[in-house]
Amino acid sequence: MLDFLWNLGSFIIALGILITAHEYGHFWVARRCGVKVERFSIGFGKAIWRKIGADGTEYVVAMIPLGGYVKMLDERVEEVPEALKSQAFNRKSVWQRIAIVGAGPMANFVFAIFALYIMYLIGVPSLKPIIESTQENTPAAVIQVNKPMQVIAVGDRKVRNWEEVTYALVGHIGDENIDITLAPMSGLMGEERQYRLDTSNWKFDPEKQSPITSLGLGVYRPEITPVLGLVSDDGAAKAAGMQVGDTLVAINQQPYRDWDDFVAQIKASANKAISITVRRDGEQINLSVTPGQREGVDGQLEGVIGVAPTQAPWPEEMRLQLEYGFGESFVVATDKTWQLVVVSIKMIGKLFTGDVSVKNLSGPISIAQGAGSSANYGLVYFLGFLALISVNLGIINLLPLPVLDGGHLLYYFIEVITGRPVPEKVQEIGFRFGAAMLLMLMSIALFNDFSRL
């Protein structure tokens, strides 16, 4: 229940910030173009707070925080007094209307730069992308790793941490090949080596795998100890009496070997009672645990008990602090925002070509979970999450669907080319089509959300 409330609160805060940024973009440019703004609303439905500003605009916070709007004076919507007709939206030039409509998505991109700017000023603790092995029968099997190696580039994009590697790999989904450049931990110049991975048959499910592991890259991890560092409240281990700090001694009367072997035995025991021996306060305790089940990467059911081990500290040379000064933070934040824009556009394109499954679409439930998780980790991670969602919100609003900003821009650019507005009847048909498309996409996203619960 507490997790639900935390996720909900984080979701409302995140969405409120992003919607305010988007709508303020429309509002600010509309005012600069001499358009009278009647209402600035964050949310839909019944108002829970309202105020009439000195400028005559009604500012509203409404109950349903899933959007917002800026209501401008417009003769196509209502009767406008003669004295105010010059302030009506429809009386403005086509280029002014383009500027007003396009300002919302642009504000989302500007906000993403701002959020990342603050994030890099504060500093982001991170880890260098080090691999220690590759898996057979995977695209990465062509890489021979005899000692820990650092990924320094994916394609022509330099990478510094695992997040950047992930974004770079996602951008190559559907490509025939991916070039990955590695360098030894010593950092000696001239020892870099580039490998071309055959990804023509590369498929992965983002709900069950990361693009890194699905390629077959073995991520370096410090030594895992048999001491439990996490026991989920709703897992089978907790129900059986296992506790954080317990040391694993045996499973099914066989001595504990290593974590991978322990996990393999748990996965093979879905819904089957097993014996686990732990050491607690100097005493050995035998527990009967019945693993729950979940669908594995290969679609088969596998056991899960809800525990995680502790591990040795990360070596200092593998740690990375992404922190910059006032000027450099802006440059890095702008570049990062551009990377997010490019990756997001590629992903949308690959949804239409079929290279990426519609199962990857996420709705408000996934966003709420992401907001809650990032907020749990701290401010810098929440800022990064806000930047990612803000970029996606901006791009989605630029799609040429008539109910979105991009649809309006499409009509206005047609007006620029033809010299006359798109007929009202054509616009009405377009709006109906756009609404149907948007409803379909939202339905798929919500279905995906519920199927992940």
Side-chain angles (χ1 to χ4, degrees):
M1 185 62 179
L2 287 177
D3 284 345
F4 169 77
L5 293 175
W6 177 260
N7 290 344
L8 179 63
S10 301
F11 172 72
I12 291 173
I13 291 171
L15 213 56
I17 292 171
L18 299 179
I19 291 168
T20 301
H22 181 92
E23 299 304 337
Y24 186 76
H26 292 308
F27 173 80
W28 190 85
V29 175
R31 293 286 299 276
R32 295 304 176 277
C33 290
V35 175
K36 179 176 175 57
V37 178
E38 297 182 311
R39 183 179 298 122
F40 182 100
S41 179
I42 304 302
F44 301 118
K46 185 178 180 180
I48 56 177
W49 178 88
R50 69 173 73 232
K51 179 183 178 182
I52 305 296
D55 54 2
T57 300
E58 181 187 23
Y59 297 91
V60 175
V61 176
M63 289 190 68
I64 306 174
L66 295 178
Y69 61 93
V70 173
K71 184 175 184 294
M72 292 172 268
L73 196 67
D74 195 321
E75 292 176 284
R76 298 169 301 176
V77 178
E78 59 189 349
E79 192 81 26
V80 176
E82 190 66 35
L84 297 177
K85 285 186 176 181
S86 63
Q87 298 180 53
F89 175 79
N90 63 290
R91 290 292 182 108
K92 300 303 175 181
S93 71
V94 65
W95 287 110
Q96 286 178 310
R97 282 178 276 144
I98 287 172
I100 293 168
V101 172
M106 292 304 109
N108 284 122
F109 301 139
V110 171
F111 176 80
I113 294 173
F114 171 76
L116 292 172
Y117 176 75
I118 299 299
M119 185 183 80
Y120 287 124
L121 274 180
I122 296 171
V124 185
S126 189
L127 295 169
K128 294 179 182 178
I130 309 297
I131 64 171
E132 60 180 353
S133 63
T134 57
Q135 296 178 20
E136 295 181 357
N137 303 316
T138 64
V142 296
I143 302 175
Q144 299 299 317
V145 182
N146 299 317
K147 57 184 177 180
M149 301 284 284
Q150 180 173 347
V151 181
I152 61 173
V154 176
D156 57 1
R157 169 63 64 179
K158 299 290 185 184
V159 292
R160 296 164 297 177
N161 58 16
W162 281 119
E163 180 191 45
E164 293 182 359
V165 172
T166 298
Y167 282 130
L169 290 177
V170 166
H172 285 282
I173 292 175
D175 293 354
E176 292 292 315
N177 300 283
I178 299 178
D179 292 330
I180 292 182
T181 306
L182 303 178
M185 287 294 296
S186 62
L188 295 176
M189 296 297 291
E191 292 191 24
E192 298 92 351
R193 184 171 177 184
Q194 186 179 85
Y195 296 87
R196 174 155 291 186
L197 277 57
D198 179 2
T199 52
S200 55
N201 296 315
W202 177 42
K203 300 289 182 183
F204 80 99
D205 185 343
E207 291 301 309
K208 300 171 185 173
Q209 295 174 289
S210 76
I212 298 162
T213 55
S214 68
L215 272 179
L217 296 173
V219 177
Y220 171 85
R221 299 186 187 280
E223 181 183 358
I224 294 175
T225 72
V227 180
L228 297 182
L230 171 71
V231 178
S232 298
D233 289 337
D234 56 353
K238 181 78 170 182
M242 297 180 75
Q243 299 178 11
V244 171
D246 285 352
T247 299
L248 297 172
V249 176
I251 178 169
N252 285 335
Q253 287 76 50
Q254 297 299 313
Y256 173 87
R257 291 171 51 195
D258 56 44
W259 181 253
D260 288 340
D261 176 70
F262 178 78
V263 170
Q265 293 196 57
I266 296 297
K267 286 184 175 181
S269 304
N271 301 315
K272 300 175 184 176
I274 57 175
S275 171
I276 297 179
T277 304
V278 300
R279 183 181 298 111
R280 182 186 306 161
D281 298 327
E283 296 184 9
Q284 288 195 8
I285 303 172
N286 294 316
L287 300 169
S288 178
V289 184
T290 303
Q293 66 177 40
R294 67 182 177 190
E295 187 178 330
V297 175
D298 57 2
Q300 300 295 315
L301 293 180
E302 62 183 27
V304 58
I305 63 173
V307 296
T310 57
Q311 62 182 30
W314 284 90
E316 198 59 39
E317 65 270 19
M318 294 187 183
R319 295 176 182 269
L320 186 65
Q321 181 76 3
L322 300 178
E323 186 175 348
Y324 306 93
F326 285 96
E328 195 176 3
S329 287
F330 177 76
V331 175
V332 175
T334 303
D335 179 64
K336 178 71 171 182
T337 301
W338 175 247
Q339 290 181 44
L340 292 175
V341 168
V342 171
V343 169
S344 298
I345 291 174
K346 284 183 177 180
M347 288 296 287
I348 291 173
K350 288 172 181 180
L351 277 172
F352 286 104
T353 60
D355 290 321
V356 174
S357 170
V358 292
K359 290 182 179 179
N360 297 323
L361 286 175
S362 295
I365 296 175
S366 293
I367 295 173
Q369 291 172 334
S373 297
S374 61
N376 260 331
Y377 286 116
L379 177 61
V380 291
Y381 297 100
F382 189 57
L383 288 170
F385 174 81
L386 287 177
L388 174 63
I389 300 301
S390 189
V391 165
N392 279 272
L393 185 61
I395 291 173
I396 289 171
N397 269 281
L398 287 174
L399 292 177
L401 293 176
V403 289
L404 300 174
D405 293 332
H408 291 284
L409 291 173
L410 176 64
Y411 287 152
Y412 295 149
F413 280 116
I414 291 174
E415 182 177 342
V416 168
I417 295 170
T418 63
R420 59 180 183 273
V422 175
E424 290 289 335
K425 191 168 185 178
V426 174
Q427 290 192 41
E428 184 180 345
I429 294 171
F431 283 128
R432 289 179 179 177
F433 171 77
M437 285 290 294
L438 194 60
L439 181 62
M440 181 183 71
L441 291 173
M442 289 175 63
S443 299
I444 293 172
L446 280 170
F447 175 80
N448 291 341
D449 280 355
F450 284 115
S451 67
R452 292 167 186 150
L453 292 177

